[in-house]
Each structure stands twice: as C-alpha cells, then as structure tokens.
Amino acid sequence: MCIRDRIIPDLPTDSEDSFALTQNLKLKSVPVVSVNSSFERLTKLLNIPHSMVYLMSGTQVTGKGLQANKNLSQQIKTIRKTSKSKLGVGFGIQSIKDLKWVLKRADIAIIGSAFIEAREQGDLENFSLALKNVLDAENAPISILNNTKSRVHS
C-alpha cells in the first residue's frame, strides 16, 4: 500500500503540526479551501507543495446541498489561475445535476454524505450505477469520502 497524500480538514495545511506530519511521512498536502477563502489565504496555501486542491462548495452543514453560485464559480476560476494541480470540489453534491455542474468546472467530484445516505436508504446500487453512468459520459474521476463516521455501519 502506498500513501502519498493527506487530507485533514480540521488541521490547517499551514499549521506547524500539519507541516511536521507531512514532512515526517513524506506526504503531499491537499489544502482544503472554501468559497470564502481570501486570495491571500489561497495564495499562501497553494504555495505549500500539494497534489490537489479540495474546494468546499459552501459553508453549510455537510449534506445540505451544493451551493452552485457566483462565489463558487469565481473561486474555481481563481484556483485554476493560481494552481496547476487537480481541483476537487465537494461538500453538498447530492444529485446528478450537482455532479454534472461540478464536473464541468473541476477535475474531481468529492462525494461524502450522499453516498452514506444512499447506503442507509438501501439504494446504494442505484446510486452507484447513476454515478457510473455520469462518470463514463464525462470521462471523469470521482472521490468518495466518508466524513460522517457516526453514520457508518460495519
């Protein structure tokens, strides 16, 4: 097994602890930025060696829907101009419409809560098939993140 990247949303990429963890394990960071991150903050984070950028689509509670608006579109454009790394957008992708919107603008769609909800509702097979059909049509990668540990059943 090879681990080369790390995403720790609750540990700022530019903190001393984050830097030590990244250096000690020889990992690249994945900065987590939001639509509200200032240009100065973006520039600072994107100057740290990274493999991709994770853009949170909004500031709402996770799983409450994609906030596809002017602010998100502008932040995507800013990141594209500032970094050559892959761009992943997540936080609120709940529908095929959301997924298509993201994939037209970003390299990676990051899905968490919608995956867990489909599993809990016993609809994981249909959900997975719908995702696969979109991904095949868009020729795009997808990342399934589980950031809702309290709702996961083993």
Side-chain angles (χ1 to χ4, degrees):
M1 177 169 55
C2 174
I3 300 172
R4 58 185 179 97
D5 305 302
R6 64 121 188 113
I7 300 174
I8 307 175
D10 297 326
L11 183 62
T13 304
D14 56 341
S15 72
E16 287 183 29
D17 291 336
S18 178
F19 183 74
L21 176 65
T22 302
Q23 293 295 68
N24 291 340
L25 297 175
K26 296 180 175 38
L27 300 174
K28 286 191 176 178
S29 297
V30 176
V32 179
V33 299
S34 79
V35 293
N36 298 330
S37 296
S38 68
F39 182 75
E40 292 76 22
R41 177 89 178 130
L42 275 177
T43 303
K44 181 178 182 182
L45 292 175
L46 298 179
N47 280 326
I48 297 169
H50 59 280
S51 56
M52 69 170 274
V53 178
Y54 176 4
L55 174 59
M56 293 174 37
S57 69
T59 57
Q60 73 278 13
V61 175
T62 186
K64 295 298 180 192
L66 183 71
Q67 294 181 348
N69 58 38
K70 184 173 69 173
N71 292 340
L72 179 56
S73 294
Q74 185 56 50
Q75 196 70 306
I76 290 170
K77 288 177 187 174
T78 301
I79 291 168
R80 290 282 195 207
K81 289 179 186 173
T82 310
S83 174
K84 292 186 183 344
S85 297
K86 298 250 184 219
L87 173 60
V89 174
F91 213 74
I93 299 172
Q94 294 290 308
S95 67
I96 297 302
K97 179 181 174 185
D98 293 342
L99 179 61
K100 288 180 178 181
W101 189 94
V102 168
L103 291 176
K104 285 182 182 172
R105 294 157 179 85
D107 303 299
I108 302 166
I110 302 170
I111 300 175
S113 298
F115 178 77
I116 300 301
E117 288 172 16
R119 182 174 176 227
E120 287 177 346
Q121 295 170 4
D123 197 31
L124 192 54
E125 188 173 337
N126 288 332
F127 179 78
S128 300
L129 184 58
L131 287 178
K132 183 182 181 321
N133 289 338
V134 171
L135 297 175
D136 287 348
E138 301 288 331
N139 194 27
I142 190 165
S143 175
I144 307 284
L145 293 184
N146 173 12
N147 59 0
T148 53
K149 292 181 183 171
S150 63
R151 299 193 315 182
V152 173
H153 309 284
S154 48

